[in-house]
Structures are given as C-alpha cells and as structure tokens.
Amino acid sequence: MNIDSSLIKIDPKTKKPIYKQIQDCIIDGIIAGKITRHQKLPSINQISEKLDLSRDTVVKAYYQLRDKGIIASTHGKGFYIFSTNTKQNLKIFLLFNEMNEYKKVLYNSLMSHFHRNVIVDTFFHNHNPKIFERLILDNIGNYNHFIIIPTFYRYEKKILKTLKQIPPDRLLILDRPMKKLDCAMVYQNFESDIFYGMEKAKEHLKKYKRITGVFTSKTLHPEEAIDGLKKFCEKYDFKFRLIDQINSRLLNENEVYITFQNEDLIKLLNFAKKKKLQPGKDLGVISYNDSQLKEVIRDGISVISTDFKSMGKTAAELILKQKRDQISNPFYFKARNSI
C-alpha cells in the first residue's frame, strides 16, 4: 500500500525549510497512525513535480529520514517506511551469539565509542537458528541499525534469508564474513589470519616435531581456520595432524597443540599436568583468541587472536559515519611461556 501523496503539504508562508516540512508531514502521519511500516513513499520525482519543488530538496528530506532510520530504500522499489520510531536517539539492535570474555571486550569497546544518545539493546541467539530468526524478524522496524554476529555454518541459506529482511544500509555484520551481503562488516579472515599468525610464531615452533590442531565437534569456528593451519604446515614443512578430542593418550612430548575452544585448552592443561608435561618445555600450547585469564594461567598461554577492541571501535565508527565498508579486523600472535 502506497502513502497518499496528499499527506505531504507545503506552507510557503512559514519560515520552516521546505525539506523539514516534508519530513514533519511524514513523521506527523506516523504519529497519527495514517502512515504505517512498510508503506511505500511517493517517489522523489512525484513529490518534486506535484509540489513544484527542487528535486534536491526532496532528496535532502528523504535522505535525512533515511539516516535516522525512519525510512529505507530498496533498489528498483524506491523508499518505504522502515520504522515508526520517530525519536531522535539512534537505537541499535545488537545480537551476540553468546557472552564470553571476548564478547565482553568487544561490547565494552563498542559502547565506549558510542555517544550518549545512542541506545543499544543486546540480545543473544545462543547458536540457535530459530532464536536468531525470531529475534530479528520480531524487531525489524524497532531499530535504526542492526549489529549482528552470525555463527551458523550449516544454515547459511536460511540465515541469509533472514538477514536480507534488514535494509543493507542498516545492517553491520561482525566477526564472520558473509560475502553474499552488501552491508557493512568487520570480520575475521580466518584462513589468512591463522596462516599469518602461525608465521609470526614460526621461530617458536621449530623446536617441536609436530603441530596438532584440536578441532572438536563443539568447535564453532569455520573450517577455514583449519585450512590456514594446513597451508602453513605445508609451506614450512611442519608435520601436522588434526584431532577431534583431547585425552592422555593423544598428548605427547615435543608437540605443539593449537586449541580453538577454552574447554579443550583446560582439558589439555589438566592432562599435561597429570603426565608431568610442562607447557613451553615438554610441549607447546597455543590458544585461539586472547583473554586476561590466558595471560596468567600456567604462567601465560600463547595466543593467536583477533583484536576485539579494534573490532568494537571500527564497528562504532561505521555506524556513526553511516558507512558500508567491509573491513578485515587486525590479528596478532602473542608469545608467552607456553611455547
């Protein structure tokens, strides 16, 4: 259903700028219940011709309403009402997979770079695609922007279908790249990040006879991470194996272990302690993603990690500056006593 163009009226006697009058007519229509979400707006050319206005004036009115998240545009379909929230505060829907040490760093960085009139509501999908879909579809129209961390590797088509319900200029994807979306992203390039992280660790690895990747069934990181490990080992002639569990039998001297889940790291350290194998001396340990705990546990665990503080800062800047850049997040290797 299209909005009746007669709702937009211009008073030539008032000092209020014409573009602002157009905006106020639309906002007043929303408040009065005459304009509802999804309704299509008259085209820029229609308003310009009917009211004998400069096209640039109508463009300014529409674009400012779009920047506020009240209207959105779709290529080939024009402008429509995206949100009936007419408040001036920037309201953001933030969807995490879960809250852990890394997400806390990301969240705190994100919030520290937003100004006071930005409202952020945080939700969690807990790796459940049904919850993911429901939370997004129930909240479209209630927020100006959506910041989302999708972690589903088996349900990509379904997830993409849900994400495409959000206008691309309102969506920012964090952590995992989704190449089929034309929206803002701050992502990890898992394959190259692991490869270059291991390159930085190369001199430390030479004293070990084999590299073992611990990639259990509960590991939520994509296969690209393992591809990066394999490519590194092939290029620099390191022996490599992949295991899907941690136990005492699989733990050997003179090997370096790369763990992706914290619970696998804890299991590895406990088995090493029982076998009286000292990390950094008898075997090597590298964990994926850094935390304060890893700085101190067993005198320090070496890490390959994305920079979550940087991710939060970049995400906030993209939202505030209305940019749709797709940015690979910084990555680093930190050598500690475990290697």
Side-chain angles (χ1 to χ4, degrees):
M1 182 178 176
N2 295 346
I3 293 171
D4 187 348
S5 60
S6 65
L7 287 173
I8 299 175
K9 300 176 181 179
I10 300 301
D11 182 0
K13 297 179 181 180
T14 182
K15 293 182 179 181
K16 184 184 292 185
I18 293 175
Y19 78 89
K20 189 70 169 63
Q21 291 186 56
I22 295 172
Q23 293 176 353
D24 288 348
C25 288
I26 294 172
I27 290 172
D28 290 344
I30 292 172
I31 294 171
K34 296 177 181 179
I35 297 176
T36 58
R37 198 160 69 86
H38 297 313
Q39 279 191 289
K40 187 177 178 181
L41 287 157
S43 72
I44 290 171
N45 287 337
Q46 286 174 330
I47 296 295
S48 177
E49 291 172 7
K50 181 176 181 179
L51 300 178
D52 193 23
L53 300 174
S54 161
R55 192 176 183 279
D56 289 344
T57 299
V58 186
V59 167
K60 184 175 182 180
Y62 275 23
Y63 279 22
Q64 286 192 0
L65 287 176
R66 188 181 65 179
D67 290 343
K68 293 175 182 177
I70 295 172
I71 70 176
S73 60
T74 302
H75 182 68
K77 295 183 179 180
F79 291 88
Y80 63 94
I81 300 298
F82 174 67
S83 173
T84 54
N85 175 23
T86 57
K87 294 180 180 180
Q88 296 301 307
N89 286 340
L90 190 63
K91 195 173 180 185
I92 295 174
F93 173 97
L94 174 61
L95 181 57
F96 276 152
N97 51 343
E98 62 187 5
M99 184 55 80
N100 53 34
E101 291 179 84
Y102 323 126
K103 298 304 186 302
K104 286 179 183 177
V105 174
L106 170 58
Y107 177 82
N108 289 336
S109 175
L110 188 67
M111 297 303 293
S112 70
H113 289 92
F114 280 139
H115 42 71
R116 290 183 179 180
N117 64 335
V118 175
I119 298 171
V120 179
D121 291 336
T122 307
F123 303 85
F124 301 91
H125 59 70
N126 295 311
H127 310 285
N128 185 320
K130 291 183 178 179
I131 294 175
F132 178 89
E133 181 181 34
R134 178 176 56 78
L135 285 171
I136 291 175
L137 297 183
D138 286 353
N139 284 286
I140 288 180
N142 298 329
Y143 294 87
N144 307 107
H145 289 276
F146 292 76
I147 302 176
I148 295 175
I149 298 181
T151 56
F152 309 100
Y153 306 105
R154 299 177 184 175
Y155 307 97
E156 183 159 331
K157 288 184 179 179
K158 187 174 183 180
I159 296 308
L160 279 170
K161 184 178 178 181
T162 301
L163 291 172
K164 285 179 178 179
Q165 301 299 308
I166 304 170
D169 58 341
R170 300 288 152 209
L171 176 61
L172 189 154
I173 297 294
L174 288 183
D175 202 43
R176 180 199 169 191
M178 301 198 75
K179 297 176 181 178
K180 294 182 180 180
L181 291 175
D182 181 26
C183 64
M185 296 183 196
V186 187
Y187 61 90
Q188 297 188 57
N189 192 333
F190 292 95
E191 183 176 323
S192 63
D193 287 345
I194 290 291
F195 181 88
Y196 292 118
M198 293 296 287
E199 274 196 328
K200 292 178 181 178
K202 183 160 62 77
E203 293 304 313
H204 298 275
L205 300 172
K206 288 180 178 179
K207 63 182 178 181
Y208 299 101
K209 67 179 183 181
R210 182 166 61 180
I211 294 174
T212 296
V214 184
F215 205 79
T216 65
S217 59
K218 293 183 179 180
T219 298
L220 297 170
H221 294 96
E223 293 291 337
E224 291 96 316
I226 293 302
D227 293 338
L229 267 177
K230 289 179 178 177
K231 286 185 177 181
F232 168 80
C233 292
E234 289 171 1
K235 180 175 180 179
Y236 294 102
D237 199 28
F238 282 94
K239 290 183 179 180
F240 173 77
R241 68 169 175 164
L242 192 64
I243 60 175
D244 62 3
Q245 61 178 315
I246 288 287
N247 59 44
S248 181
R249 179 178 58 83
L250 294 172
L251 211 61
N252 303 310
E253 288 188 65
N254 297 319
E255 286 194 44
V256 57
Y257 294 82
I258 317 292
T259 64
F260 287 85
Q261 294 292 105
N262 284 342
E263 60 184 85
D264 291 328
L265 172 64
I266 299 302
K267 286 180 182 178
L268 188 151
L269 293 176
N270 282 335
F271 281 123
K273 185 176 181 180
K274 289 178 182 178
K275 295 185 74 170
K276 297 182 179 180
L277 299 175
Q278 183 178 339
K281 181 179 179 182
D282 304 311
L283 52 75
V285 179
I286 299 176
S287 181
Y288 189 78
N289 283 336
D290 202 3
S291 70
Q292 290 183 326
L293 183 62
K294 291 174 186 177
E295 293 180 16
V296 296
I297 189 172
R298 295 297 294 267
D299 297 323
I301 301 298
S302 301
V303 293
I304 295 175
S305 181
T306 197
D307 188 335
F308 287 102
K309 284 185 179 180
S310 177
M311 183 178 286
K313 179 183 178 182
T314 304
E317 289 174 349
L318 289 176
I319 291 289
L320 294 174
K321 294 179 180 179
Q322 301 285 323
K323 291 186 175 182
R324 284 164 67 175
D325 298 344
Q326 298 185 355
I327 300 170
S328 179
N329 198 58
F331 210 80
Y332 63 89
F333 165 71
K334 180 69 175 179
R336 297 189 179 115
N337 291 329
S338 68
I339 198 170

